[in-house]
Amino acid sequence: MLVTVYDEGYLRHETPADHPESPNRVLSALSGVGELAKIIRPTVNVDLIETAELVHEYHYVEYVTSLCAIGGRLDPDTYVSRGTCDALTSSINALATAVNLLKSGVRHIYLPLRPPGHHVGFRGRALLAPTQGFCVLNNAAIISSLLLKSGASRVAVLDIDAHHGNGTQEIFYSTSKVFYISTHQDPRTLYPGTGYVNEVGVGDGEGFNMNIPLPPMTGDDLFKVVLKPIENALRQYKPSYIVVSLGFDSHFLDPLTNLNLSLNSYIEAFLMIRRLIEEGVTEGSVYVLEGGYNTDVIRQGSRALAMVSNGIDQVNIEYYTKTNGEIAKYFNKMIEQHRAFFPQYY
């Protein structure tokens, strides 16, 4: 059964009334999983600053926590309110709780956290991005580091947000202990402008950073194509655990992006991860909520996650989307380029 770790503290991070990142996103996720998930509160209390410093520079963490006392903005998009540190503390405790759950044998965990995190690098803005894209601490990076610290030999982060996780890439770019894999809208057409195919890692991390940029209006038919090399990569890497940066903004109804996926693409990804767990390729998965700004999509997508995690195979809740011919031609060229960098996964 899917275990969802929830705390009311997530809701205390405040943004302006017209801001797309709101508490309603978390409430929609909870409504979606409903009776299909076991919902628990965080059971571990850890130090916010000490835990955040596993992946972020000390001065950045200190600045964020000091800003919580008065409220303000990290940049034009990213707010820190008086309640933000409550939300961050709740999120950090949930991440530590999820590590214990995974180590105890729980296989599928959902963390509908806020604020989101995958755009935050060592010192905040990552890889020359203009803003932090609503993110304050990098939740996926923190739990990956906590898992490694707890004895995991390697961790894979699968990022299926429409925006590239530039912060996560920056943090793990030079290590083979974390394999970062991202599908996202072509960086020439969407913030943060990073995540090209040739960004493959450096040093010990070379070959362990895999970006698959998708042209605008990519549909379910082509997303299914990119899942094949991703699954092959995960099978070869054999991560102890898979962390999913789960952004529902690749959906065709999202107001901030231009991809054309339905929830069927997400279901295919959920089924793939469940298959890898059942076949012993990896021990478990944790889904960390990132973007997605249509609350009905978050609700339905969260329900789909619960259904798949609970062993249900047929979860077709929307029509499949198709990609038009011109975009498909561009996509095929991108795949050829990707294959040149990662032939072992094709």
Side-chain angles (χ1 to χ4, degrees):
M1 188 175 197
L2 179 69
V3 175
T4 299
V5 185
Y6 169 72
D7 189 85
E8 293 85 354
Y10 306 162
L11 308 179
R12 297 189 188 123
H13 171 61
E14 298 175 4
T15 54
D18 59 347
H19 198 280
E21 202 295 292
S22 76
N24 289 332
R25 301 174 63 249
V26 172
L27 297 175
S28 296
L30 283 179
S31 173
V33 298
E35 75 288 352
L36 293 173
K38 179 181 180 182
I39 300 175
I40 67 170
R41 295 175 61 88
T43 57
V44 180
N45 292 311
V46 294
D47 184 82
L48 170 61
I49 294 176
E50 180 181 327
T51 307
E53 285 176 13
L54 290 173
V55 300
H56 298 301
E57 185 187 57
Y58 167 80
H59 293 292
Y60 172 70
V61 178
E62 283 288 298
Y63 177 62
V64 168
T65 54
S66 66
L67 196 57
C68 287
I70 55 175
R73 290 193 289 187
L74 295 171
D75 57 54
D77 293 335
T78 311
Y79 288 78
V80 173
S81 70
R82 292 177 182 268
T84 295
C85 280
D86 292 336
L88 296 175
T89 298
S90 294
S91 295
I92 290 287
N93 289 338
L95 294 168
T97 298
V99 170
N100 284 357
L101 290 170
L102 288 170
K103 301 293 285 186
S104 71
V106 176
R107 292 184 163 191
H108 306 279
I109 301 170
Y110 188 24
L111 304 179
L113 310 178
R114 60 184 298 275
H118 71 152
H119 294 308
V120 188
F122 293 114
R123 302 174 186 86
R125 300 183 197 185
L127 305 182
L128 302 179
T131 71
Q132 292 179 203
F134 316 157
C135 300
V136 179
L137 297 180
N138 195 315
N139 301 310
I142 290 171
I143 193 170
S144 297
S145 296
L146 286 172
L147 284 166
L148 292 173
K149 189 177 179 182
S150 73
S153 60
R154 59 182 67 87
V155 176
V157 177
L158 175 59
D159 192 328
I160 53 176
D161 192 286
H163 303 86
H164 178 241
N166 52 318
T168 311
Q169 173 171 304
E170 179 184 87
I171 290 167
F172 297 123
Y173 204 60
S174 60
T175 180
S176 62
K177 294 292 186 181
V178 177
F179 192 169
Y180 179 65
I181 304 172
S182 178
T183 64
H184 48 269
Q185 187 173 318
D186 190 319
R188 292 172 295 182
T189 68
L190 190 68
Y191 167 92
T194 57
Y196 290 92
V197 170
N198 62 350
E199 297 167 22
V200 298
V202 295
D204 180 56
E206 185 174 358
F208 296 98
N209 193 91
M210 188 166 81
N211 289 313
I212 308 180
L214 306 173
M217 300 310 293
T218 293
D220 294 329
D221 51 347
L222 297 189
F223 187 79
K224 195 169 184 177
V225 172
V226 306
L227 281 180
K228 292 179 181 179
I230 290 173
E231 180 168 356
N232 290 339
L234 292 170
R235 286 184 180 279
Q236 291 187 38
Y237 186 65
K238 293 182 173 61
S240 302
Y241 303 100
I242 299 174
V243 175
V244 182
S245 279
L246 178 58
F248 285 111
D249 49 4
S250 295
H251 192 275
F252 65 86
L253 290 178
D254 193 85
L256 301 187
T257 63
N258 306 106
L259 292 176
N260 191 37
L261 305 186
S262 77
L263 288 174
N264 291 296
S265 284
Y266 289 91
I267 291 165
E268 290 287 348
F270 302 157
L271 286 168
M272 175 191 72
I273 291 169
R274 195 189 77 189
R275 183 164 59 247
L276 294 174
I277 294 171
E278 291 173 345
E279 295 178 10
V281 176
T282 188
E283 296 177 43
S285 61
V286 56
Y287 294 82
V288 180
L289 184 63
E290 298 285 2
Y293 305 99
N294 181 304
T295 54
D296 189 54
V297 171
I298 294 176
R299 183 181 303 107
Q300 291 188 57
S302 299
R303 187 166 187 82
L305 171 60
M307 293 173 73
V308 171
S309 298
N310 293 353
I312 299 173
D313 294 322
Q314 301 298 322
V315 195
N316 296 325
I317 56 179
E318 289 184 317
Y319 65 87
Y320 279 84
T321 57
K322 301 288 186 180
T323 310
N324 73 40
E326 288 305 311
I327 293 173
K329 289 178 183 177
Y330 176 86
F331 175 89
N332 289 333
K333 292 179 181 178
M334 182 277 296
I335 287 293
E336 287 301 317
Q337 185 182 16
H338 193 266
R339 186 182 288 114
F341 283 99
F342 298 99
Q344 67 272 37
Y345 303 136
Y346 285 84

